[in-house]
Amino acid sequence: MPHVKPAKKVQPLWKEWDFKAQKKGIHHTVYDVNGNEYTGEWLDNKKHGKGTQKWKKNNSLYDGDWKFGQRNGFGTLSSPAEGGGTYKRIYSGGWKNDKRHGYGTNFYTAEEYYEGEWYCNKRSGWGRMYYADGSIYEGEWYDDKRSGQGMLRLGTFEPIKMIEISITKLVCLESLINCALCKTLTFNTIYI
């Protein structure tokens, strides 16, 4: 007759320790091996819910929603300002699978920024780009390029310098410009 062992009533210690080591729920700051730090909610050892990630390599900071270890939902990505101590926003808006997705605003410089729709980390859909010279493009974007219908409003600019030109120095380049009136025009100032 075979001898049957009775079933164990207590789990091995490693299972209990593994269960206690699982990251789930709200935790304080957790540090990676490479120095990155994350403060926020966890589910099955993955960032899930609200949280803040700080990368040691470039000192960037992301504050927002996470889903199964990836940025997903609404969040803001910032990088340190030149003076130190403060952060400047790079992107604020929707995220999906760790990429900019949905509606958001990306700041290229203090004067240049894009607000509109994103798809898979690229400007795609309807959006508005503000340029440093005051120009604004509002219209359709596809694959990070202006595409489709849109309107470009040119900004105002100040003339850089004025140059006085007399008619004797003006030469008509008939090989480049087929214009019979060039010899009769007089110019007092030209803005460059």
Side-chain angles (χ1 to χ4, degrees), residues 144-188:
D144 227 19
K145 296 180 183 103
R146 294 184 288 207
S147 177
Q149 295 182 356
M151 179 176 59
L152 177 63
R153 288 180 267 172
L154 297 176
T156 58
F157 63 92
E158 295 291 324
I160 297 172
K161 58 183 175 178
M162 293 188 330
I163 300 174
E164 295 288 331
I165 297 179
S166 65
I167 193 68
T168 58
K169 293 182 182 177
L170 183 64
V171 178
C172 179
L173 302 174
E174 293 198 15
S175 63
L176 298 176
I177 303 170
N178 189 8
C179 177
L181 298 174
C182 286
K183 296 176 186 169
T184 60
L185 294 176
T186 58
F187 296 95
N188 293 329

Side-chain angles (χ1 to χ4, degrees), residues 116-132:
E117 297 174 16
W118 292 83
Y119 178 76
C120 212
N121 232 15
K122 294 182 180 178
R123 295 174 285 193
S124 197
W126 192 262
R128 188 178 301 131
M129 179 72 189
Y130 295 87
Y131 296 96

Side-chain angles (χ1 to χ4, degrees), residues 126-143:
W126 192 262
R128 188 178 301 131
M129 179 72 189
Y130 295 87
Y131 296 96
D133 66 353
S135 299
I136 301 171
Y137 172 77
E138 183 176 359
E140 296 175 350
W141 294 79
Y142 178 73
D143 202 23

Side-chain angles (χ1 to χ4, degrees), residues 10-19:
V10 179
Q11 295 288 338
L13 282 179
W14 70 268
K15 285 194 174 186
E16 181 182 342
W17 292 342
D18 185 55
F19 177 77

Side-chain angles (χ1 to χ4, degrees), residues 77-141:
L77 178 66
S78 305
S79 69
E82 283 94 30
T86 61
Y87 283 87
K88 62 179 181 177
R89 281 188 301 174
I90 296 173
Y91 176 77
S92 182
W95 294 84
K96 185 176 181 183
N97 298 329
D98 233 13
K99 296 179 181 173
R100 294 172 285 193
H101 190 87
Y103 189 84
T105 304
N106 197 80
F107 299 90
Y108 299 99
T109 64
E111 299 86 23
E112 290 188 337
Y113 63 96
Y114 169 82
E115 63 178 345
E117 297 174 16
W118 292 83
Y119 178 76
C120 212
N121 232 15
K122 294 182 180 178
R123 295 174 285 193
S124 197
W126 192 262
R128 188 178 301 131
M129 179 72 189
Y130 295 87
Y131 296 96
D133 66 353
S135 299
I136 301 171
Y137 172 77
E138 183 176 359
E140 296 175 350
W141 294 79

